[in-house]
Amino acid sequence: MADFDLITWLKERTTLTVLSAEVLEAIALLMTLITVEANQNLAVAGTSPEGLYIIKSGQIKSHGQVTPEVSLLPGTVINLSALILEQTVSETLKTLSECELWWITAADFQSLVEQYPEITQAFSQQLAKEVEQLSNALSFEQERQTILRPYLVPKVKRGVMGKSRYAVKLRSQIQDMADNRQPVLIFGEPGLQKDNLASLIHFSSPFRREPIIQVNCSQLQGSGAELFGRVGGKLSLLEALGNGTIVFNNLQELKPELFKPIAELLSTRTYQPVSREGEAQAAHKTSQGRIIIISEKNLPSIDGLVENIIKVPSLRVRKTDIEDSVNYYISLICRRRGIAKVCLSDEALRRLQAYDFPNNLRELENLIERAIIQLQGYSEITEEIIWPSQSKKQQFRFNFLNAYPSLRNFLRSQWYPERLNYGFTLTAFAVVNIILFVGPQTREQNFALNLFWAWWWPLVLIGFPFVGRLWCAVCPFMIYGEVTQKISLWLFPRQLQKWPRQTAEKWGGWFLWGLFALILLWEELWDLKNTAYLSSCLLLLITAGAMICSTIFERRFWCRYLCPIGGMNGMFAKLSMTELRAQQGTCSAECSTYQCYKGGPQKGEGLETEGCPLYSHPAQLVDNRDCVLCMTCLKACPHRSVELNLRPPGIELWTTHVPRSYEVALLFLLLDAVFLHHLPQVQAQLGIFADLTQFWIHLGLAVLALSLPALLPVIIHQVMGVFLRFQSTLKPRSFIELAYGYLPLVLAGNLAYYLQMGLGEAGRILPLTLATFGFSGEGLPIFVAHPAVIAFLQSTLLIVGVLLSIILTQKIAKLPFRYLLFQHLCTAILAFCLGKVILI
């Protein structure tokens, strides 16, 4: 480039244009064109300048300690201020590509400055303006920091801990939100540290060097003056924020009058400073900041304005993350308290995972800190030290398996129920049926018939309030079904059919109800209680159903959906004071195989099993209906999650219960059955003297006995509904919900009926056994109760049944006593009628 062209280029393309032509010519004469390769430092902050550089071509990056990183353009003059003021370089300069530079040594430039005072004068004025600008900027920054300081978030507290799919998704969402500047709504339950997630979004973004402030919406003025500013007043938060991030915490607590301006800010990024009364409205201003909203509930007026939404999952669905969170809190708290790091026992972890944590991470952190304080020198946090508040599902529960390890060992052994079933029940059931067929045909002569009607029925009914469906674990119907299934698969290898669940759920209950009704009619019309071979036919008929279903479907389809005895057992088991459940937290956090449900090989403590025979997962049970207490899940579980609990009797009926119409029909069928069993007494009370030896007359009266008593509760419920509509705005529960209130009375009525045989005939079993085989039983002890004692116990049962039914109805309905008076009266009337026919 000629000297004239160089002077022209300096005047048009550089900041040296303020100098005269004479000075520019002097500078041009001393300039040398040099080439610098990429990734070379031209200057390093804090060092003396080597000379004056002017970029002719190429890319150079400038970065200072307080200034952001920028790229310099051709024509930029480098080190001018440092050379004139004789200071060190304030910025580091690095070439990004091969660059051509005009260069004057520091000594030559100092000579020019001394020779031409014009250089110092011209750039001193420019530097003065820059100083003034810097001073103004410093004053603004000081005012800005003063305004923002009470709201500043200095750093991120922690990252998202855990390896669950929820934690992975949450981290991915945070990164996605960090890459754009659109408003974000973070939504979730209390205690999830949503403000920390907002900080993570900001500090992961390209604007991480900008400030982030957090505003508690409940503390904002109704006018919004601190947020939007006042006309002629100091800077507002939004104006002071600049390109930073503002977090509106707990937006659900925002004053109603501020929702509209916040909505405007979200939709248009503009806001209007607050004007005093009588002043003109201020012009709208534009906010450059990033907006993040934190809320604990849906806000329809705001939700539609925000596209980026993060729904933070609660800790109860992130059980697998609890261990990582606990380890983090232990490290944090121990370091803060200056003590050695402690550890958490496996049992304590399982207890934490079994808890739902309504206050989420905040509650977990407080709980761990409290446990560490209680340690007092010990190095392990054990189960005894962890004491979270119990959830409603776990309240009033006592786990037998933890209290009695020997019971756990027995229930996990081969003795229960496999050896008991295949070593005793299988053979005993066959022997009983043979004796029923070939032995004497009346209860006074056949001990097997006595066992069935005078022993089995009373004991099963007595067992319901204590052990639920325990009988089903040793039931011979099911055992023969399993044997048939195994033999059929051995003879004809095949894949058994899956359960038609939808059809079975819809119609299975009505099938067993109809089958039970037919059995009751058969029992009454053909006097099964006093006819041994017919009683055997009844047992074999139910066994045949189990065997047929077992050859078609996998596991115990008959037991769950079609067995009439199983349907009765499942219904009355809801009154039991024991339950089998599993810790949902432990199952969701630690289990990935579901061996208790699906079956599988041995794993850790878990034994090899074929899975639950009723396809029930213990962690998902809401009542006792579908659990036969076979303990397959206890044997299969490798995590000690299964619990056998003592609980308030029938608690599920007013907490987690799901009513079913066919079950209500079965309930009233069993109520009617008590009247059917006392048909002669019913006739006597009503003054009817029909000839029950006539089949069709007997059948007609039996059908009426199985129908009419159940109409009374239906009619009473309709009357109660009309009364409530006129007397109160309260809406009564549906009939199928309230009908379960009669369950204790129905159980008491059936037990009162069978108590007559249990206390009057069961004690004759010893002489009766010898008589069955043709021997004399004289001299053998007989244990029978006096009729007056039996009558007293029957009366007591009915009275207790009434009281428990009233209490249960109150629990289910959750209404004042006077609103349920009609149903309570109906309960008393039914008990009175039962007493009249049973106690004759």
Side-chain angles (χ1 to χ4, degrees):
M1 182 181 289
D3 290 345
F4 176 76
D5 293 334
L6 178 56
I7 293 169
T8 303
W9 184 81
L10 291 173
K11 192 168 185 64
E12 292 179 353
R13 301 291 299 276
T14 71
T15 56
L16 300 179
T17 185
V18 297
L19 300 175
S20 65
E22 179 185 358
V23 176
L24 289 177
E25 183 178 357
I27 292 173
L29 288 173
L30 296 174
M31 293 179 70
T32 304
L33 185 63
I34 62 173
T35 301
V36 181
E37 295 180 356
N39 300 318
Q40 300 296 317
N41 286 332
L42 288 181
V44 178
T47 63
S48 299
E50 296 180 358
L52 183 75
Y53 297 94
I54 303 177
I55 304 174
K56 180 183 178 184
S57 64
Q59 293 180 322
I60 296 178
K61 178 178 67 174
S62 167
H63 179 66
Q65 294 180 350
V66 294
T67 58
E69 184 177 293
V70 295
S71 295
L72 304 181
L73 300 174
T76 302
V77 180
I78 300 172
N79 293 341
L80 179 61
S81 299
L83 288 168
I84 292 175
L85 300 175
E86 297 182 359
Q87 295 177 344
T88 59
V89 178
S90 61
E91 298 174 332
T92 298
L93 301 174
K94 186 176 184 179
T95 58
L96 301 178
S97 63
E98 185 178 273
C99 299
E100 286 186 312
L101 303 166
W102 290 106
W103 180 59
I104 304 176
T105 65
D108 288 342
F109 188 77
Q110 289 297 335
S111 298
L112 286 173
V113 171
E114 294 174 0
Q115 184 178 354
Y116 298 100
E118 177 187 345
I119 298 176
T120 303
Q121 293 173 0
F123 287 102
S124 293
Q125 295 174 1
Q126 183 177 340
L127 289 173
K129 291 180 181 179
E130 291 179 2
V131 170
E132 183 180 1
Q133 291 173 353
L134 288 173
S135 177
N136 293 336
L138 181 60
S139 298
F140 174 81
E141 187 63 27
Q142 288 176 338
E143 182 182 2
R144 180 190 183 204
Q145 290 298 325
T146 301
I147 293 171
L148 296 179
R149 189 174 295 114
Y151 307 95
L152 281 175
V153 179
K155 61 180 180 179
V156 177
K157 295 179 183 177
R158 61 187 63 86
V160 177
M161 291 167 288
K163 298 179 284 291
S164 70
R165 67 178 187 273
Y166 299 103
V168 172
K169 181 181 178 181
L170 196 55
R171 284 192 286 266
S172 175
Q173 286 180 309
I174 289 171
Q175 189 57 55
D176 291 342
M177 303 306 175
D179 292 339
N180 65 68
R181 295 281 289 171
Q182 297 302 313
V184 178
L185 170 61
I186 302 177
F187 172 81
E189 296 177 2
L192 287 170
Q193 299 176 346
K194 299 179 286 294
D195 55 342
N196 186 61
L197 300 182
S199 301
L200 278 171
I201 293 174
H202 172 79
F203 287 108
S204 301
S205 73
F207 291 83
R208 64 179 67 87
R209 296 184 182 278
E210 297 292 334
I212 173 174
I213 62 173
Q214 180 173 304
V215 177
N216 194 330
C217 291
S218 64
Q219 298 177 359
L220 286 175
Q221 299 178 24
S223 64
E226 70 267 55
L227 185 62
F228 306 118
R230 291 188 181 274
V231 176
K234 64 179 183 178
L235 289 175
S236 66
L237 281 174
L238 291 174
E239 194 171 2
L241 183 65
N243 291 323
T245 300
I246 182 169
V247 179
F248 291 100
N249 195 21
N250 294 323
L251 194 70
Q252 74 277 359
E253 299 177 2
L254 188 69
K255 294 178 174 60
E257 56 267 30
L258 286 178
F259 274 105
K260 185 176 179 180
I262 293 294
E264 181 182 12
L265 180 65
L266 287 169
S267 57
T268 67
R269 288 186 172 273
T270 62
Y271 62 95
Q272 188 177 39
V274 178
S275 301
R276 290 180 176 81
E277 189 175 352
E279 293 181 344
Q281 292 291 320
H284 280 72
K285 293 184 178 182
T286 301
S287 171
Q288 303 299 326
R290 172 78 177 273
I291 301 172
I292 299 179
I293 295 171
I294 295 175
S295 179
E296 293 178 358
K297 63 181 181 180
N298 291 318
L299 300 170
S301 60
I302 298 296
D303 293 353
L305 302 174
V306 182
E307 295 182 1
N308 296 328
I309 299 176
I310 298 177
K311 185 175 182 181
V312 187
S314 60
L315 195 56
R316 65 177 173 274
V317 302
R318 295 170 50 196
K319 300 291 189 176
T320 52
D321 296 337
I322 287 180
E323 184 174 6
D324 290 331
S325 298
V326 168
N327 289 334
Y328 171 80
Y329 289 134
I330 288 176
S331 299
L332 184 70
I333 296 167
C334 289
R335 186 166 59 248
R336 189 169 64 216
R337 298 180 66 85
I339 60 176
K341 185 178 177 181
V342 299
C343 61
L344 186 76
S345 70
D346 293 340
E347 287 295 331
L349 178 61
R350 279 193 284 269
R351 185 165 186 177
L352 288 175
Q353 290 171 336
Y355 180 52
D356 284 343
F357 287 100
N359 289 310
N360 294 290
L361 291 170
R362 183 195 308 142
E363 184 176 2
L364 176 61
E365 182 177 6
N366 293 338
L367 192 149
I368 295 301
E369 184 165 16
R370 183 178 66 202
I372 290 175
I373 293 172
Q374 288 181 276
L375 278 179
Q376 296 180 349
Y378 292 94
S379 60
E380 184 180 52
I381 300 176
T382 60
E383 182 184 9
E384 293 77 16
I385 299 175
I386 294 291
W387 44 286
S389 302
Q390 287 186 312
S391 66
K392 290 184 178 180
K393 291 182 180 179
Q394 295 298 319
Q395 285 179 342
F396 312 113
R397 299 300 200 272
F398 175 79
N399 186 1
F400 288 113
L401 302 181
N402 284 347
Y404 305 105
S406 57
L407 175 62
R408 171 189 287 275
N409 294 335
F410 169 72
L411 294 177
R412 283 173 50 84
S413 71
Q414 288 294 319
W415 286 100
Y416 183 85
E418 286 84 359
R419 291 183 181 177
L420 177 62
N421 286 340
Y422 292 99
F424 173 75
T425 308
L426 188 71
T427 304
F429 184 71
V431 171
V432 166
N433 276 278
I434 292 172
I435 294 174
L436 288 173
F437 258 99
V438 302
Q441 291 299 297
T442 62
R443 287 203 311 277
E444 290 78 10
Q445 298 174 314
N446 193 317
F447 85 93
L449 198 59
N450 181 278
L451 280 175
F452 182 30
W453 295 101
W455 282 87
W456 183 83
W457 271 104
L459 289 177
V460 165
L461 292 171
I462 291 172
F464 287 139
F466 300 98
V467 291
R469 286 190 72 169
L470 181 64
W471 162 255
C472 293
V474 295
C475 172
F477 311 142
M478 169 270 299
I479 298 170
Y480 276 87
E482 286 185 344
V483 171
T484 303
Q485 190 176 76
K486 292 176 181 178
I487 293 175
S488 69
L489 288 175
W490 176 63
L491 294 175
F492 309 101
R494 66 196 186 281
Q495 185 68 39
L496 294 174
Q497 293 187 25
K498 300 290 184 182
W499 291 3
R501 285 182 177 272
Q502 291 185 342
T503 303
E505 289 287 350
K506 185 176 182 180
W507 299 110
W510 291 108
F511 172 85
L512 70 85
W513 174 84
L515 187 56
F516 213 124
L518 292 175
I519 290 173
L520 289 172
L521 290 174
W522 185 21
E523 175 189 336
E524 174 63 25
L525 296 174
W526 275 272
D527 193 19
L528 263 65
K529 292 186 292 295
N530 207 38
T531 310
Y533 82 95
L534 288 179
S535 293
S536 177
C537 287
L538 172 60
L539 297 175
L540 295 176
L541 175 67
I542 299 175
T543 306
M547 295 170 69
I548 293 170
C549 285
S550 295
T551 60
I552 301 172
F553 300 106
E554 57 186 4
R555 307 202 187 183
R556 301 181 194 170
F557 180 77
W558 172 266
C559 297
R560 173 153 183 170
Y561 291 113
L562 304 178
C563 178
I565 303 300
M568 176 190 71
N569 294 352
M571 181 181 67
F572 283 134
K574 297 178 181 183
L575 294 172
S576 174
M577 63 177 63
T578 56
E579 65 178 10
L580 185 136
R581 298 292 187 268
Q583 300 173 14
Q584 290 184 340
T586 302
C587 293
S588 62
E590 299 188 15
C591 185
S592 59
T593 58
Y594 303 105
Q595 288 182 233
C596 63
Y597 179 78
K598 298 178 180 178
Q602 181 173 353
K603 181 182 177 183
E605 187 179 306
L607 305 176
E608 180 180 359
T609 68
E610 296 180 356
C612 176
L614 264 61
Y615 269 127
S616 297
H617 194 297
Q620 304 301 324
L621 289 173
V622 294
D623 58 36
N624 285 346
R625 183 179 72 109
D626 295 326
C627 178
V628 297
L629 297 175
C630 64
M631 300 300 163
T632 300
C633 53
L634 176 63
K635 296 178 181 183
C637 180
H639 307 295
R640 293 207 168 198
S641 174
V642 178
E643 301 176 336
L644 182 62
N645 294 323
L646 180 68
R647 65 171 194 177
I651 189 173
E652 63 203 38
L653 290 168
W654 66 86
T655 53
T656 60
H657 185 246
V658 178
R660 295 171 175 84
S661 55
Y662 68 80
E663 206 167 45
V664 171
L666 179 62
L667 184 153
F668 287 116
L669 180 69
L670 290 171
L671 172 67
D672 296 342
V674 182
F675 293 98
L676 176 65
H677 295 323
H678 296 86
L679 199 54
Q681 292 87 339
V682 172
Q683 285 191 96
Q685 291 294 326
L686 297 177
I688 301 173
F689 302 99
D691 185 4
L692 295 182
T693 60
Q694 300 294 319
F695 177 81
W696 295 108
I697 294 175
H698 195 177
L699 175 61
L701 290 175
V703 171
L704 289 175
L706 283 179
S707 308
L708 293 180
L711 292 178
L712 181 62
V714 177
I715 296 170
I716 291 296
H717 182 79
Q718 296 300 320
V719 173
M720 184 172 65
V722 173
F723 173 77
L724 284 178
R725 281 195 291 272
F726 280 101
Q727 297 293 324
S728 170
T729 58
L730 295 173
K731 184 179 180 180
R733 299 259 183 173
S734 65
F735 176 70
I736 64 168
E737 289 181 279
L738 290 180
Y740 284 90
Y742 295 104
L743 197 56
L745 176 63
V746 174
L747 177 60
N750 278 272
L751 183 55
Y753 163 64
Y754 283 104
L755 207 61
Q756 179 66 48
M757 284 185 282
L759 296 179
E761 299 180 20
R764 304 178 186 273
I765 189 69
L766 293 178
L768 194 57
T769 301
L770 293 178
T772 302
F773 298 101
F775 300 103
S776 174
E778 290 186 14
L780 291 177
I782 296 174
F783 305 96
V784 295
H786 190 276
V789 174
I790 297 175
F792 170 76
L793 293 176
Q794 288 174 321
S795 303
T796 303
L797 275 173
L798 292 176
I799 293 171
V800 171
V802 170
L803 295 176
L804 293 178
S805 287
I806 291 173
I807 294 172
L808 182 57
T809 301
Q810 290 291 148
K811 289 282 190 180
I812 295 172
K814 296 180 175 63
L815 290 174
F817 185 88
R818 65 180 184 277
Y819 292 126
L820 297 168
L821 188 59
F822 284 99
Q823 178 157 336
H824 299 333
L825 288 175
C826 180
T827 302
I829 292 170
L830 289 172
F832 176 78
C833 294
L834 289 171
K836 292 292 286 183
V837 298
I838 291 175
L839 298 175
I840 290 179

